[in-house]
């Protein structure tokens, strides 16, 4: 139902925004300190894109169910 979709979507959206902000801060701090980017930095960026894809699939599945 629509209320269940909102109960899933809202916390998911909050955590997506939090993840993007934290990864952006991580990259900004690395850049500000002239610290080299390491493998873990690039892997966390890949993980963020995977998370974004998962969130897109979640939204699409909810839109199909609501209709």
């Amino acid at each position: 139902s629509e209320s269940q979709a909102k109960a899933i979507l809202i916390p998911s959206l909050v955590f997506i925004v939090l993840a993007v902000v934290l990864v952006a801060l991580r990259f900004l701090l690395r850049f500000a300190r002239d610290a080299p980017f390491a493998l873990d930095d690039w892997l966390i960026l890949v993980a963020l894109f995977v998370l974004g894809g998962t969130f897109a699939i979640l939204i699409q599945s909810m839109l199909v169910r609501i209709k």
Side-chain angles (χ1 to χ4, degrees), residues 2 4-5 7 11 14 19 31 35 40-41 44 50 59 67:
E2 192 173 331
Q4 287 177 331
V14 168
F31 185 74
D40 60 333
D41 296 312
I44 200 167
V50 171
I59 291 174
K67 290 182 182 180

Side-chain angles (χ1 to χ4, degrees), residues 13-51:
L13 184 60
V14 168
F15 282 111
I16 288 285
V17 169
L18 183 63
V20 169
V21 168
L22 291 176
V23 171
L25 285 174
R26 177 185 178 105
F27 274 81
L28 285 172
L29 286 174
R30 290 272 187 174
F31 185 74
R33 293 183 178 189
D34 288 329
F37 293 105
L39 179 62
D40 60 333
D41 296 312
W42 300 114
L43 290 177
I44 200 167
L45 194 59
V46 170
L48 188 63
F49 283 115
V50 171
L51 182 62

Side-chain angles (χ1 to χ4, degrees), residues 1-15:
S1 74
E2 192 173 331
S3 64
Q4 287 177 331
K6 285 182 182 178
I8 294 171
L9 187 62
I10 291 172
S12 299
L13 184 60
V14 168
F15 282 111

